[in-house]
Amino acid sequence: MKVSTIYQKSIRSPTGNETFILKPGSNNKKLGFKVNSKRWKGKKLYSLTLVERDTCPTSCHHWNDCYGNNMPFAHRFSIENLTDKLETELASLNDRHPLGIVIRLHVLGDFYSIDYVNFWEDMLFKYPNLCIFGYTGRETDSDIGTGIYLLNNRFNERCVIRFSRSKEYDHDYLYAAEESFEGASFDCPEQTGKVKSCANCGLCWTTKKTVRFLSH
Ligand code: SF4
C-alpha cells in the first residue's frame, strides 16, 4: 500500500518560499477564475492542494490509483502551520476581492482532522463573502465526515462539500459525487466538453443531484 504522494519533491511547507498557497483558478484551466454561475457569481475562484494520502482516509476507493499519481508538477502543501498561513491569506484575499472568493478544497488531499474542519467553520463565520466547495473521501459516519456534514448544514448557502461514493443525493446537506451512479445525477460538463471550467459551470454548488465524474 502506498503512503503519502509518490512525488515527495513536490511537497512544500506553507511557510516556505511560495508567495501564496491559495492558487488562483486561472492557474488551472479546469477551474477558471471568475465565477459566472448564477450562484456565487462575480466571486473569484482559488484552490488549495494538500498532500494526497497523508491527509486522506485509508478507506478512499482511489487510495492506490489517486488522481495525484498523474500530477507530478502540482505543489502540495504540508499541514504544519497550514491554518496560520491560510488565515493570513484569507484576510488578504478578502480585502482584494470585495465580492468574495470561492475556494476549491482540495485539488489533492482531504480534510485531515476535526480541528481543520472547525478552522473552515471559523473562516466561514468570519468572512461572510467566503464560499467553499469540493469533495471528500471521508465516510459520512466518521467524526470528520459528521463535521463536514454539519458544516454544509450550518453554511448551506456557502459551503458544499460532496461525499465521494455517497448515493444519498437527495439527503439534505449530504451532497454526493459518484463515478457510476445510475439515479438522478449529471455528468460533469467540464469532462464532457460542455463547459470550459468550474467557474463557468457551478453545478457542484448549485444542485443537490449527484455529480458523476469519469473514472480515472
Ligand atoms: S460539475 Fe461543474 S462545478 Fe462540478 S466539477 Fe464539473 S465543471 Fe466543476
Side-chain angles (χ1 to χ4, degrees):
M1 181 183 273
K2 299 185 182 83
V3 289
S4 192
T5 176
I6 61 175
Y7 303 111
Q8 289 291 300
K9 287 184 180 166
S10 71
I11 299 176
R12 302 283 187 274
S13 164
T15 52
N17 291 331
E18 296 272 344
T19 318
F20 274 90
I21 61 175
L22 290 170
K23 303 293 185 189
S26 45
N27 288 6
N28 179 336
K29 66 178 172 49
K30 288 184 178 182
L31 290 180
F33 188 50
K34 187 176 176 189
V35 175
N36 291 313
S37 68
K38 197 169 172 188
R39 197 178 187 206
W40 303 353
K41 192 176 179 71
K43 295 180 185 293
K44 300 299 192 308
L45 184 52
Y46 286 79
S47 70
L48 177 63
T49 303
L50 302 181
V51 183
E52 68 269 33
R53 287 187 280 268
D54 279 359
T55 55
C56 301
T58 53
S59 59
C60 176
H61 58 303
H62 280 304
W63 184 267
N64 283 320
D65 65 342
C66 175
Y67 190 58
N69 292 351
N70 299 319
M71 296 174 64
F73 304 114
H75 290 177
R76 292 129 164 107
F77 291 96
S78 55
I79 60 174
E80 200 178 350
N81 301 313
L82 176 72
T83 52
D84 288 346
K85 183 74 158 75
L86 281 173
E87 200 161 354
T88 304
E89 292 191 12
L90 287 168
S92 165
L93 292 174
N94 185 61
D95 288 345
R96 194 187 306 172
H97 302 298
L99 294 180
I101 61 172
V102 179
I103 301 182
R104 163 77 159 88
L105 300 175
H106 307 88
V107 174
L108 297 171
D110 209 327
F111 290 85
Y112 53 87
S113 70
I114 287 287
D115 282 348
Y116 181 64
V117 176
N118 291 341
F119 165 79
W120 284 108
E121 180 174 28
D122 290 346
M123 293 302 103
L124 286 164
F125 185 74
K126 187 170 182 180
Y127 299 112
N129 281 334
L130 172 65
C131 297
I132 61 177
F133 90 101
Y135 316 91
T136 181
R138 294 285 162 189
E139 304 287 345
T140 50
D141 58 357
S142 65
D143 287 350
I144 296 175
T146 301
I148 293 167
Y149 172 84
L150 293 173
L151 197 63
N152 282 340
N153 183 337
R154 182 171 182 198
F155 294 96
N156 60 74
E157 294 295 318
R158 296 190 286 124
C159 173
V160 180
I161 304 298
R162 288 175 176 263
F163 288 84
S164 300
R165 294 188 82 182
S166 173
K167 295 180 169 61
E168 305 277 340
Y169 66 91
D170 59 354
H171 191 301
D172 274 357
Y173 314 121
L174 207 161
Y175 307 91
E178 164 76 22
E179 287 167 356
S180 55
F181 185 54
E182 299 289 342
S185 58
F186 63 95
D187 293 324
C188 166
E190 187 277 329
Q191 290 191 331
T192 57
K194 291 184 178 154
V195 299
K196 278 189 181 160
S197 64
C198 293
N200 283 316
C201 169
L203 284 176
C204 275
W205 58 83
T206 308
T207 176
K208 289 198 164 184
K209 285 183 183 173
T210 295
V211 57
R212 291 196 308 189
F213 293 113
L214 301 175
S215 216
H216 59 267

